[in-house]
Amino acid sequence: MISMICISIQAAVPGPAQNGKTDYRITVKKSNGDPQLGVFLRIMGRTQEYTGNAQGIISFQEESSNNIFRTANLFFTDDKKTPVLSFRLNEAAQDTIIYLDSPEDRRLFKQSGQLYPIEGYVLDNQGKPITGAVVSIQGTGRKALTDEIGLFRLDADFSHPITIRADGMENQSLSIQPFLQNTSEPYPIRLQPKGSNRIYTSVEEMPEYPGGMKAFQEYLDRKITYPEALKKNKTEGIVIIQFVVEKDGSISTPHVVRPLEATLDTLALKAIQEMPRWTAGKDHGTTVRCRYSLPVSFKVPEEKVVATPSSRRRRPDTADKPQPVRPVFKLGWLKPQPLFIPPRPAVIPEKLPLK
């Protein structure tokens, strides 16, 4: 399956219209700036395909109208049915650059380990520069601090995310692509203050049920009674409930994200709604709201089979088959008997003739 890694459409320069048609010049590049070959463009509702040249430039003409804008689709040549990008053919698309990476491109970028110099500005939500923000390449040890105008410079690669941290601000992680697509000037990064209503999905200290997951399982065992009808039908599986752990540890907006059966879904949801307060999550020492998902497992308990003397040594496949009657030998004490030896007949030697 083809996946699109990055797309960026830059400012447009309107092309001239000729004979009621508009000239379009679409340049398709990889994130590292190389031409993206092996792609073609098809206008929705049309069958004609437009391919790029050695520089990745796709040129074509299309009828222009002030009221109707057609849609263009980009495809990779190895999958002519699945478009990887769609955009309208308006003035903004007449002369534009699109950055597009295939899964193979991404694999090769990571495999090469090549470093690219990047630079950017770290700003707050008001657009003011943040001094002393830490910009690091995760897992490499490479990092830099922003200066008095929020500027930083660093070497990055395709394999490791770029993380920006600043006191009192929410962390932000980026890939290298937006920096490579905006090489004409430093890439601006805006951070939001902590303590806002943002709901986190991953924090340094995740929320926790009081007593841990073992205590949570014990709570479910006490709270949920398996319906007898579903036991007989052997209905079992997992219901996944998602909810938000608020800053005070309370549970809000619980809902089923993976249903199993209506009755079991209701039981699981009710148990989550009536949970005691959790220990709220924290990120860099700040208590935050956090989204959490929990699986509630329903499994029909196995019936215990009482072993009997007749079934203890039988194999399952012979339990219902008639068993052959085997002779039973009883051993008792043997009484000593007198030893009788029959007499041997006498042997009479033959008489020898006299000489």
Side-chain angles (χ1 to χ4, degrees):
M1 181 178 178
I2 297 298
S3 62
M4 181 176 57
I5 308 304
C6 56
I7 299 169
S8 174
I9 300 181
Q10 296 187 347
V13 178
Q18 298 177 354
N19 301 325
K21 294 186 176 182
T22 301
D23 292 320
Y24 290 91
R25 186 175 184 269
I26 312 297
T27 303
V28 186
K29 295 183 177 182
K30 302 177 183 180
S31 292
N32 63 354
D34 294 341
Q36 178 59 272
L37 307 178
V39 297
F40 68 89
L41 183 145
R42 185 191 301 149
I43 299 173
M44 189 172 294
R46 307 287 176 83
T47 58
Q48 186 174 358
E49 298 177 356
Y50 301 97
T51 58
N53 58 18
Q55 288 74 42
I57 301 174
I58 302 175
S59 300
F60 61 95
Q61 288 186 337
E62 178 59 27
E63 295 180 359
S64 59
S65 173
N66 293 330
N67 300 322
I68 300 175
F69 295 100
R70 292 191 175 274
T71 300
N73 296 319
L74 282 175
F75 300 80
F76 284 109
T77 53
D78 58 356
D79 186 358
K80 295 188 176 184
K81 294 182 179 180
T82 307
V84 292
L85 174 64
S86 299
F87 58 94
R88 298 181 69 183
L89 293 177
N90 51 21
E91 290 186 1
Q94 289 178 10
D95 188 358
T96 189
I97 298 176
I98 296 176
Y99 289 88
L100 191 63
D101 294 333
S102 69
E104 180 65 13
D105 295 330
R106 187 179 181 182
R107 185 186 69 82
L108 293 176
F109 290 154
K110 290 184 175 181
Q111 191 176 43
S112 68
Q114 183 176 350
L115 299 179
Y116 298 86
I118 63 171
E119 60 179 2
Y121 290 114
V122 179
L123 312 170
D124 62 16
N125 60 343
Q126 303 295 326
K128 298 179 180 179
I130 299 177
T131 303
V134 180
V135 184
S136 60
I137 312 298
Q138 288 187 16
T140 66
R142 299 192 300 270
K143 61 182 179 180
L145 296 176
T146 56
D147 59 16
E148 64 277 3
I149 61 173
L151 179 67
F152 70 90
R153 293 183 176 90
L154 198 59
D155 290 334
D157 56 63
F158 279 86
S159 299
H160 301 92
I162 303 160
T163 302
I164 301 95
R165 302 176 185 271
D167 292 339
M169 311 298 288
E170 295 177 350
N171 299 337
Q172 190 172 150
S173 292
L174 300 171
S175 64
I176 192 175
Q177 280 92 344
F179 294 92
L180 298 181
Q181 297 165 14
N182 297 272
T183 56
S184 58
E185 58 184 11
Y187 182 68
I189 304 167
R190 291 180 180 268
L191 300 182
Q192 299 297 322
K194 280 189 176 181
S196 60
N197 289 327
R198 173 187 170 184
I199 300 175
Y200 289 74
T201 56
S202 178
V203 292
E204 286 186 337
E205 298 180 29
M206 292 296 291
E208 186 180 31
Y209 182 87
M213 294 309 296
K214 183 179 180 180
F216 171 73
Q217 188 59 51
E218 293 173 352
Y219 165 80
L220 290 182
D221 294 340
R222 296 191 308 268
K223 197 71 177 176
I224 297 178
T225 302
Y226 215 120
E228 290 297 329
L230 297 179
K231 274 187 183 180
K232 293 180 181 179
N233 296 332
K234 295 185 177 181
T235 303
E236 56 184 23
I238 295 176
V239 180
I240 297 182
I241 309 293
Q242 191 175 87
F243 52 90
V244 174
V245 181
E246 299 291 345
K247 296 178 184 179
D248 61 355
S250 61
I251 304 301
S252 66
T253 64
H255 60 283
V256 178
V257 294
R258 179 179 167 182
L260 174 62
E261 191 275 338
T263 302
L264 299 181
D265 296 346
T266 302
L267 289 174
L269 188 60
K270 184 178 179 182
I272 296 300
Q273 290 172 335
E274 297 177 356
M275 286 190 302
R277 290 180 184 267
W278 283 43
T279 301
K282 290 186 177 181
D283 195 63
H284 290 273
T286 302
T287 302
V288 296
R289 305 171 72 200
C290 192
R291 194 181 307 280
Y292 206 94
S293 298
L294 272 179
V296 179
S297 179
F298 292 90
K299 184 172 178 62
V300 178
E302 297 181 358
E303 296 182 0
K304 295 183 179 180
V305 179
V306 179
T308 61
S310 60
S311 64
R312 186 177 293 116
R313 294 185 180 181
R314 290 186 185 179
R315 296 182 304 178
D317 57 347
T318 62
D320 298 329
K321 294 181 180 179
Q323 301 297 316
V325 179
R326 298 181 180 179
V328 179
F329 296 93
K330 295 183 179 180
L331 298 178
W333 292 103
L334 297 178
K335 296 181 179 180
Q337 300 292 330
L339 181 62
F340 174 76
I341 300 176
R344 295 178 64 183
V347 178
I348 302 176
E350 296 182 357
K351 293 183 179 181
L352 296 177
L354 295 177
K355 291 183 179 181

